[in-house]
Amino acid sequence: MPNIRIIDSITAPGSISRPNEDSAGGNATCAFVIDGATGLGGDSLLGLHGSDAAWLARFAQSTFEELARNGRPMTDVVRELNQRAANVVHEAAPALPIEPWNLPVASFQMVRIEGDDIVTHGLGDCRLFLLGTDGGTFSTSAIKGASAQERDGARAAIAHAGGFATHQALADAPGVREELRRHRAGYNRTGGSVWTLGIEPSAAEHLVTERLEPSLPARGLLCSDGFAALVDQYGRYDIAEFVGAATTAGLAPLLAELRHIELTEDPDGKQFPRFKVSDDATAVFFEIVA
């Protein structure tokens, strides 16, 4: 039976003026990363942790660590997590008319040992990068092509809003915010393509699950899209190089490199279009052994 061990983890907010809406964790059989989606200017439903997204990220972390044990099916875990979150939200805000775009949502990616199998589960745009001992690589996300979609949307938003000189987060620009609200209102809806952690238990039926067969021992990185940008948006590493850099130097130098690109090399987003100068960035570096 394989075993998973977390070697290192790191998380940092995109700005000291905003709460960190990422989280990460694990237990004896899994490791995971969670990325809460920044609110789009509506009333806070909960008033906790500085943002509803930050609350959901931490709520999901503790719930995963509690429930993702003893071989319990992940569909059951996600369904119960989202039902619990729905109970909290509706109890905290019973009198508020909750706009669909104002509901807390979060992405996640998990690697889990299930008997003799190694499996990854996810919803949303977090990332997994895996390197086997034979040099074979694998990467995935629950939303395929999410990084390209994000880049194209950011390029249009920068053109509309006038860049980061006007808005450090492009979602603050009214025209961009309205388009993002329209898009997010379609999350977790029948017939929609984006399902997340949040308050919709039926998102469990849309869980993206893939069996992994790396040569062991294997090492990997679970990342929020803000950290995975080193590969997906900025092109500084391929999969093997990315995992190799974490192995040789740890995660702190990778985070420092990420911030140098965003704050020094491309602070205006012209070379690498994005919705914020810097996003929250979280990574978990883990090893799987036989």
Side-chain angles (χ1 to χ4, degrees):
M1 179 176 175
N3 292 289
I4 188 168
R5 178 175 69 96
I6 295 175
I7 301 171
D8 193 10
S9 65
I10 198 166
T11 187
S15 168
I16 59 172
S17 66
R18 300 196 312 265
N20 187 347
E21 295 169 334
D22 287 357
S23 67
N27 58 34
T29 60
C30 73
F32 56 83
V33 65
I34 299 166
D35 182 356
T38 299
L40 296 175
D43 293 330
S44 172
L45 303 176
L46 300 165
L48 301 172
H49 298 287
S51 83
D52 293 339
W55 165 79
L56 179 59
R58 286 153 184 75
F59 181 87
Q61 175 190 350
S62 62
T63 305
F64 275 154
E65 289 176 339
E66 174 195 351
L67 299 182
R69 295 177 178 271
N70 304 320
R72 184 174 183 180
M74 275 304 296
T75 52
D76 289 355
V77 172
V78 171
R79 186 179 297 106
E80 181 166 341
L81 189 160
N82 280 10
Q83 185 60 64
R84 289 184 182 185
N87 294 342
V88 173
V89 169
H90 290 137
E91 288 173 9
L96 285 179
I98 304 175
E99 297 285 353
W101 52 260
N102 200 30
L103 293 167
V105 294
S107 302
F108 87 96
Q109 196 72 38
M110 174 184 290
V111 171
R112 190 180 188 210
I113 307 302
E114 299 182 357
D116 292 329
D117 294 331
I118 306 165
V119 181
T120 184
H121 302 281
L123 290 169
D125 60 2
C126 292
R127 295 281 273 130
L128 166 65
F129 303 96
L130 192 62
L131 175 64
T133 192
D134 63 354
T137 61
F138 173 83
S139 70
T140 196
S141 174
I143 300 179
K144 312 306 180 189
S147 60
Q149 296 171 22
E150 177 91 0
R151 185 166 54 248
D152 291 344
R155 184 178 291 110
I158 286 173
H160 177 88
F164 294 134
T166 305
H167 300 282
Q168 290 292 291
L170 297 183
D172 293 336
V176 175
R177 183 189 304 130
E178 290 310 309
E179 176 59 22
L180 291 174
R181 285 179 173 181
R182 183 196 65 79
H183 180 66
R184 192 173 296 176
Y187 287 12
N188 301 306
R189 293 293 186 92
T190 301
S193 61
V194 179
W195 295 84
T196 69
L197 300 179
I199 72 162
E200 181 48 68
S202 65
E205 307 308 320
H206 301 270
L207 189 67
V208 178
T209 297
E210 299 171 82
R211 183 176 176 179
L212 307 175
E213 296 182 329
S215 58
L216 302 181
R219 289 190 168 188
L221 286 164
L222 289 157
C223 306
S224 63
D225 64 337
F227 200 98
L230 281 166
V231 174
D232 292 334
Q233 303 290 6
Y234 309 150
R236 295 302 168 94
Y237 299 92
D238 63 22
I239 299 168
E241 292 167 344
F242 198 37
V243 178
T247 299
T248 57
L251 297 178
L254 287 170
L255 178 62
E257 181 179 7
L258 177 79
R259 295 304 190 224
H260 185 267
I261 294 168
E262 295 166 343
L263 301 177
T264 303
E265 295 183 25
D266 186 42
D268 55 10
K270 291 181 178 179
Q271 183 178 0
F272 304 115
R274 53 198 189 273
F275 282 97
K276 303 172 186 175
V277 175
S278 292
D279 197 2
D280 302 336
T282 300
V284 176
F285 179 40
F286 63 91
E287 180 178 49
I288 303 171
V289 298

